[in-house]
Amino acid sequence: MTLFDPARHYPLLQLDWEPNAVQEAICAIAHETITQLQTAPLLSGHPMDDQAFGSDLYFGKAGVLWTIHYLQTVGAIDSTIDVTTHLNESLEQNQQRYPKVSPYPEQSSYLFGELPLLLLQYKLSPSEDKAIQILQSIHKNDSQPVRELMWGMAGSMLAAYFMYQWTQESRWQEVFKLQASLLLQEWQSVGKVGYLWTIDLYGGQQQWLGPVHGFASNLTPLLVGQPLLTNEEFQDISNRAMMTVVQTAVTEDGTANWPAVYDKAHPHQAPNLVQYCHGAPGMVTALATLPRGVYEQFDRILEQGGELTWQAGPLKKGSNLCHGTGGNGYAFLKLFNRTGNQMWLDRAKVFAMHAIEQYHLSQQLYRQLRYPLWTGDLGLAIYLWDCLQAQSQFPTIDIF
């Protein structure tokens, strides 16, 4: 039994870490993006993506604007472009387009809807009018059925937490706690497996596990938003989560992976995806902030997930975050920050150098940048910056 599909990965090479090349790649990606924003603001889609470039956080312009602002703020690039000039138009486009293309037009989507654009507008120019719009958008999910991060409640809880971070106002804690309560009510015991959510998604009901659609995605705002929970609440969540992570893992020879969907009939069937969205890298990245030293088997299995990610090697799908080499590398950064073991940072840097090679090859082949934050080169730029800083702040999840 093998826990990954070798055909999805490149052979792992021991590439030397070159900080200057890393910084050059960050600047090149940002410079080309900024040039396009200034000359052709309707950014073009990419042949490797299966839909047109939009206005959202995942595939579209919201993610581009967020990334450029973030890289400016942390000092990763030297640029004076004002992203606020693009925000109003992008928000209007999103508000017109989202109801037409979304499978859940009544749901407030963090990755595809208006929320991130409203958040960025508020962050750059706070106003009560904008805060009310954000609160109304978050409250849409109180009565909607989808419980995960891309389309549903986990995403709106993240928005509420970031607003609380910025304002310290009780209304954001209240809506966060309301949605946390609704989410936790649906976290059900599955016998010896632990606790899972049955996700109502795309016309079916399945027990998804990963950090975009499933178990880990619903835990994400509860972990990021820990300051808004009581110690007792967080301890209970942590105990349930760690037990479930261990029980749903498939292990072999010191490695561990997780299927995209838990299948009660075949609980030990070998998974083959090793990506942020599905598989070990995402599970490690999303859950590495759970308490260390409390549950030895959980500590061990997270590192086994990291080991599988290393053995599988860089992803052929690209250098991106959601299903690419950069996203997988975040598992190593998280493990380095969790354990202090230099090996994990060294491995993150090897993946960074591989991802830069992939970025250069893609540029040569397609003659254009792959713009999206989650599926393109801008996400890689942030991963490279985190490798330089030896930190693990997954964009728009750990920080906004």
mmCIF file of all heavy atoms in Angstrom, residues 25-54:
data_model
loop_
_atom_site.group_PDB
_atom_site.id
_atom_site.type_symbol
_atom_site.label_atom_id
_atom_site.label_comp_id
_atom_site.label_asym_id
_atom_site.label_seq_id
_atom_site.Cartn_x
_atom_site.Cartn_y
_atom_site.Cartn_z
ATOM 1 N N ALA A 25 12.406 36.285 -6.772
ATOM 2 C CA ALA A 25 11.151 35.703 -7.257
ATOM 3 C C ALA A 25 9.950 36.449 -6.685
ATOM 4 O O ALA A 25 8.976 36.729 -7.394
ATOM 5 C CB ALA A 25 11.085 34.222 -6.900
ATOM 6 N N ILE A 26 10.001 36.784 -5.397
ATOM 7 C CA ILE A 26 8.913 37.543 -4.778
ATOM 8 C C ILE A 26 8.719 38.867 -5.507
ATOM 9 O O ILE A 26 7.595 39.236 -5.880
ATOM 10 C CB ILE A 26 9.215 37.807 -3.283
ATOM 11 C CG1 ILE A 26 9.247 36.499 -2.495
ATOM 12 C CG2 ILE A 26 8.167 38.762 -2.685
ATOM 13 C CD1 ILE A 26 9.774 36.650 -1.075
ATOM 14 N N CYS A 27 9.822 39.579 -5.719
ATOM 15 C CA CYS A 27 9.738 40.900 -6.358
ATOM 16 C C CYS A 27 9.277 40.796 -7.807
ATOM 17 O O CYS A 27 8.512 41.645 -8.287
ATOM 18 C CB CYS A 27 11.088 41.605 -6.268
ATOM 19 S SG CYS A 27 11.543 42.085 -4.584
ATOM 20 N N ALA A 28 9.746 39.758 -8.518
ATOM 21 C CA ALA A 28 9.350 39.597 -9.919
ATOM 22 C C ALA A 28 7.858 39.325 -10.043
ATOM 23 O O ALA A 28 7.176 39.900 -10.907
ATOM 24 C CB ALA A 28 10.153 38.457 -10.550
ATOM 25 N N ILE A 29 7.338 38.462 -9.193
ATOM 26 C CA ILE A 29 5.904 38.149 -9.215
ATOM 27 C C ILE A 29 5.091 39.407 -8.900
ATOM 28 O O ILE A 29 4.113 39.736 -9.584
ATOM 29 C CB ILE A 29 5.585 37.025 -8.209
ATOM 30 C CG1 ILE A 29 6.201 35.699 -8.683
ATOM 31 C CG2 ILE A 29 4.067 36.876 -8.019
ATOM 32 C CD1 ILE A 29 6.192 34.607 -7.623
ATOM 33 N N ALA A 30 5.500 40.120 -7.846
ATOM 34 C CA ALA A 30 4.762 41.321 -7.458
ATOM 35 C C ALA A 30 4.872 42.409 -8.523
ATOM 36 O O ALA A 30 3.871 43.064 -8.846
ATOM 37 C CB ALA A 30 5.295 41.842 -6.123
ATOM 38 N N HIS A 31 6.068 42.600 -9.090
ATOM 39 C CA HIS A 31 6.273 43.660 -10.085
ATOM 40 C C HIS A 31 5.408 43.432 -11.321
ATOM 41 O O HIS A 31 4.757 44.365 -11.817
ATOM 42 C CB HIS A 31 7.746 43.732 -10.482
ATOM 43 C CG HIS A 31 8.027 44.707 -11.586
ATOM 44 N ND1 HIS A 31 8.033 46.074 -11.374
ATOM 45 C CD2 HIS A 31 8.285 44.526 -12.914
ATOM 46 C CE1 HIS A 31 8.281 46.684 -12.519
ATOM 47 N NE2 HIS A 31 8.442 45.774 -13.462
ATOM 48 N N GLU A 32 5.383 42.186 -11.815
ATOM 49 C CA GLU A 32 4.569 41.917 -13.003
ATOM 50 C C GLU A 32 3.092 42.116 -12.703
ATOM 51 O O GLU A 32 2.345 42.655 -13.535
ATOM 52 C CB GLU A 32 4.815 40.507 -13.530
ATOM 53 C CG GLU A 32 4.008 40.224 -14.785
ATOM 54 C CD GLU A 32 4.327 38.899 -15.447
ATOM 55 O OE1 GLU A 32 5.415 38.353 -15.203
ATOM 56 O OE2 GLU A 32 3.473 38.415 -16.209
ATOM 57 N N THR A 33 2.657 41.692 -11.520
ATOM 58 C CA THR A 33 1.255 41.868 -11.141
ATOM 59 C C THR A 33 0.892 43.344 -11.059
ATOM 60 O O THR A 33 -0.156 43.772 -11.583
ATOM 61 C CB THR A 33 0.979 41.191 -9.786
ATOM 62 O OG1 THR A 33 1.352 39.813 -9.852
ATOM 63 C CG2 THR A 33 -0.496 41.298 -9.417
ATOM 64 N N ILE A 34 1.726 44.133 -10.412
ATOM 65 C CA ILE A 34 1.458 45.565 -10.268
ATOM 66 C C ILE A 34 1.449 46.252 -11.628
ATOM 67 O O ILE A 34 0.587 47.104 -11.909
ATOM 68 C CB ILE A 34 2.495 46.205 -9.318
ATOM 69 C CG1 ILE A 34 2.270 45.690 -7.898
ATOM 70 C CG2 ILE A 34 2.415 47.729 -9.368
ATOM 71 C CD1 ILE A 34 3.388 46.010 -6.937
ATOM 72 N N THR A 35 2.375 45.878 -12.492
ATOM 73 C CA THR A 35 2.410 46.443 -13.844
ATOM 74 C C THR A 35 1.111 46.169 -14.581
ATOM 75 O O THR A 35 0.536 47.056 -15.235
ATOM 76 C CB THR A 35 3.595 45.867 -14.640
ATOM 77 O OG1 THR A 35 4.816 46.201 -13.966
ATOM 78 C CG2 THR A 35 3.628 46.424 -16.059
ATOM 79 N N GLN A 36 0.612 44.952 -14.456
ATOM 80 C CA GLN A 36 -0.651 44.596 -15.106
ATOM 81 C C GLN A 36 -1.822 45.364 -14.503
ATOM 82 O O GLN A 36 -2.717 45.819 -15.225
ATOM 83 C CB GLN A 36 -0.889 43.087 -15.000
ATOM 84 C CG GLN A 36 -0.002 42.243 -15.886
ATOM 85 C CD GLN A 36 -0.248 42.516 -17.357
ATOM 86 O OE1 GLN A 36 -1.381 42.541 -17.827
ATOM 87 N NE2 GLN A 36 0.825 42.761 -18.097
ATOM 88 N N LEU A 37 -1.828 45.507 -13.189
ATOM 89 C CA LEU A 37 -2.905 46.253 -12.542
ATOM 90 C C LEU A 37 -2.951 47.697 -13.031
ATOM 91 O O LEU A 37 -4.024 48.286 -13.163
ATOM 92 C CB LEU A 37 -2.723 46.236 -11.018
ATOM 93 C CG LEU A 37 -3.109 44.959 -10.273
ATOM 94 C CD1 LEU A 37 -2.694 45.049 -8.809
ATOM 95 C CD2 LEU A 37 -4.614 44.702 -10.367
ATOM 96 N N GLN A 38 -1.784 48.255 -13.303
ATOM 97 C CA GLN A 38 -1.713 49.656 -13.707
ATOM 98 C C GLN A 38 -1.995 49.871 -15.194
ATOM 99 O O GLN A 38 -2.422 50.947 -15.598
ATOM 100 C CB GLN A 38 -0.342 50.224 -13.342
ATOM 101 C CG GLN A 38 -0.112 50.331 -11.840
ATOM 102 C CD GLN A 38 1.306 50.724 -11.477
ATOM 103 O OE1 GLN A 38 2.256 50.376 -12.176
ATOM 104 N NE2 GLN A 38 1.453 51.443 -10.374
ATOM 105 N N THR A 39 -1.748 48.813 -15.999
ATOM 106 C CA THR A 39 -1.914 48.973 -17.449
ATOM 107 C C THR A 39 -3.103 48.218 -18.014
ATOM 108 O O THR A 39 -3.719 48.656 -18.994
ATOM 109 C CB THR A 39 -0.635 48.514 -18.182
ATOM 110 O OG1 THR A 39 -0.373 47.136 -17.854
ATOM 111 C CG2 THR A 39 0.561 49.359 -17.784
ATOM 112 N N ALA A 40 -3.415 47.066 -17.420
ATOM 113 C CA ALA A 40 -4.536 46.244 -17.897
ATOM 114 C C ALA A 40 -5.232 45.631 -16.685
ATOM 115 O O ALA A 40 -5.072 44.442 -16.408
ATOM 116 C CB ALA A 40 -4.044 45.149 -18.843
ATOM 117 N N PRO A 41 -5.977 46.464 -15.939
ATOM 118 C CA PRO A 41 -6.528 46.024 -14.648
ATOM 119 C C PRO A 41 -7.465 44.825 -14.715
ATOM 120 O O PRO A 41 -7.704 44.176 -13.703
ATOM 121 C CB PRO A 41 -7.250 47.270 -14.128
ATOM 122 C CG PRO A 41 -7.444 48.150 -15.311
ATOM 123 C CD PRO A 41 -6.321 47.866 -16.240
ATOM 124 N N LEU A 42 -8.005 44.518 -15.902
ATOM 125 C CA LEU A 42 -8.801 43.291 -16.048
ATOM 126 C C LEU A 42 -7.832 42.141 -16.292
ATOM 127 O O LEU A 42 -7.529 41.783 -17.422
ATOM 128 C CB LEU A 42 -9.803 43.431 -17.196
ATOM 129 C CG LEU A 42 -10.908 44.467 -16.986
ATOM 130 C CD1 LEU A 42 -11.766 44.578 -18.237
ATOM 131 C CD2 LEU A 42 -11.764 44.104 -15.782
ATOM 132 N N LEU A 43 -7.304 41.579 -15.216
ATOM 133 C CA LEU A 43 -6.261 40.572 -15.310
ATOM 134 C C LEU A 43 -6.752 39.342 -16.071
ATOM 135 O O LEU A 43 -7.904 38.931 -15.941
ATOM 136 C CB LEU A 43 -5.802 40.171 -13.911
ATOM 137 C CG LEU A 43 -5.228 41.307 -13.054
ATOM 138 C CD1 LEU A 43 -4.978 40.823 -11.640
ATOM 139 C CD2 LEU A 43 -3.952 41.852 -13.661
ATOM 140 N N SER A 44 -5.864 38.772 -16.843
ATOM 141 C CA SER A 44 -6.233 37.615 -17.673
ATOM 142 C C SER A 44 -6.176 36.325 -16.872
ATOM 143 O O SER A 44 -5.371 36.180 -15.951
ATOM 144 C CB SER A 44 -5.291 37.513 -18.876
ATOM 145 O OG SER A 44 -3.950 37.405 -18.454
ATOM 146 N N GLY A 45 -7.043 35.380 -17.253
ATOM 147 C CA GLY A 45 -7.010 34.055 -16.658
ATOM 148 C C GLY A 45 -5.811 33.274 -17.146
ATOM 149 O O GLY A 45 -5.023 33.739 -17.980
ATOM 150 N N HIS A 46 -5.649 32.075 -16.631
ATOM 151 C CA HIS A 46 -4.500 31.252 -16.965
ATOM 152 C C HIS A 46 -4.958 29.925 -17.549
ATOM 153 O O HIS A 46 -5.979 29.364 -17.107
ATOM 154 C CB HIS A 46 -3.655 31.001 -15.711
ATOM 155 C CG HIS A 46 -2.286 30.460 -15.982
ATOM 156 N ND1 HIS A 46 -2.050 29.122 -16.193
ATOM 157 C CD2 HIS A 46 -1.090 31.080 -16.107
ATOM 158 C CE1 HIS A 46 -0.758 28.939 -16.405
ATOM 159 N NE2 HIS A 46 -0.148 30.110 -16.367
ATOM 160 N N PRO A 47 -4.236 29.387 -18.525
ATOM 161 C CA PRO A 47 -4.637 28.103 -19.132
ATOM 162 C C PRO A 47 -4.751 26.956 -18.132
ATOM 163 O O PRO A 47 -5.500 25.995 -18.373
ATOM 164 C CB PRO A 47 -3.527 27.841 -20.153
ATOM 165 C CG PRO A 47 -2.990 29.185 -20.490
ATOM 166 C CD PRO A 47 -3.077 29.990 -19.228
ATOM 167 N N MET A 48 -4.014 27.021 -17.008
ATOM 168 C CA MET A 48 -4.069 25.931 -16.031
ATOM 169 C C MET A 48 -5.274 26.020 -15.108
ATOM 170 O O MET A 48 -5.541 25.088 -14.344
ATOM 171 C CB MET A 48 -2.781 25.907 -15.201
ATOM 172 C CG MET A 48 -1.544 25.501 -15.995
ATOM 173 S SD MET A 48 -0.064 25.466 -14.975
ATOM 174 C CE MET A 48 -0.377 23.992 -13.963
ATOM 175 N N ASP A 49 -5.993 27.140 -15.167
ATOM 176 C CA ASP A 49 -7.198 27.291 -14.344
ATOM 177 C C ASP A 49 -8.431 27.034 -15.200
ATOM 178 O O ASP A 49 -8.469 27.398 -16.372
ATOM 179 C CB ASP A 49 -7.257 28.691 -13.734
ATOM 180 C CG ASP A 49 -6.150 28.905 -12.707
ATOM 181 O OD1 ASP A 49 -5.830 27.950 -11.991
ATOM 182 O OD2 ASP A 49 -5.615 30.025 -12.639
ATOM 183 N N ASP A 50 -9.444 26.451 -14.592
ATOM 184 C CA ASP A 50 -10.599 26.001 -15.367
ATOM 185 C C ASP A 50 -11.729 27.013 -15.391
ATOM 186 O O ASP A 50 -12.860 26.683 -15.720
ATOM 187 C CB ASP A 50 -11.114 24.652 -14.835
ATOM 188 C CG ASP A 50 -11.517 24.714 -13.371
ATOM 189 O OD1 ASP A 50 -11.443 25.811 -12.783
ATOM 190 O OD2 ASP A 50 -11.898 23.666 -12.831
ATOM 191 N N GLN A 51 -11.446 28.269 -15.038
ATOM 192 C CA GLN A 51 -12.483 29.283 -15.130
ATOM 193 C C GLN A 51 -11.845 30.645 -15.352
ATOM 194 O O GLN A 51 -10.653 30.839 -15.129
ATOM 195 C CB GLN A 51 -13.352 29.299 -13.886
ATOM 196 C CG GLN A 51 -12.692 29.808 -12.621
ATOM 197 C CD GLN A 51 -13.685 29.854 -11.476
ATOM 198 O OE1 GLN A 51 -14.194 28.833 -11.032
ATOM 199 N NE2 GLN A 51 -13.975 31.040 -10.989
ATOM 200 N N ALA A 52 -12.645 31.595 -15.799
ATOM 201 C CA ALA A 52 -12.149 32.941 -16.073
ATOM 202 C C ALA A 52 -11.731 33.633 -14.781
ATOM 203 O O ALA A 52 -12.243 33.337 -13.702
ATOM 204 C CB ALA A 52 -13.234 33.745 -16.786
ATOM 205 N N PHE A 53 -10.804 34.554 -14.907
ATOM 206 C CA PHE A 53 -10.349 35.323 -13.761
ATOM 207 C C PHE A 53 -11.498 36.180 -13.248
ATOM 208 O O PHE A 53 -12.139 36.897 -14.015
ATOM 209 C CB PHE A 53 -9.162 36.201 -14.166
ATOM 210 C CG PHE A 53 -8.416 36.777 -12.999
ATOM 211 C CD1 PHE A 53 -7.478 36.026 -12.328
ATOM 212 C CD2 PHE A 53 -8.681 38.056 -12.566
ATOM 213 C CE1 PHE A 53 -6.793 36.544 -11.246
ATOM 214 C CE2 PHE A 53 -8.008 38.590 -11.484
ATOM 215 C CZ PHE A 53 -7.053 37.842 -10.828
ATOM 216 N N GLY A 54 -11.771 36.113 -11.946
ATOM 217 C CA GLY A 54 -12.923 36.803 -11.394
ATOM 218 C C GLY A 54 -12.543 37.925 -10.447
ATOM 219 O O GLY A 54 -11.484 38.542 -10.567
#
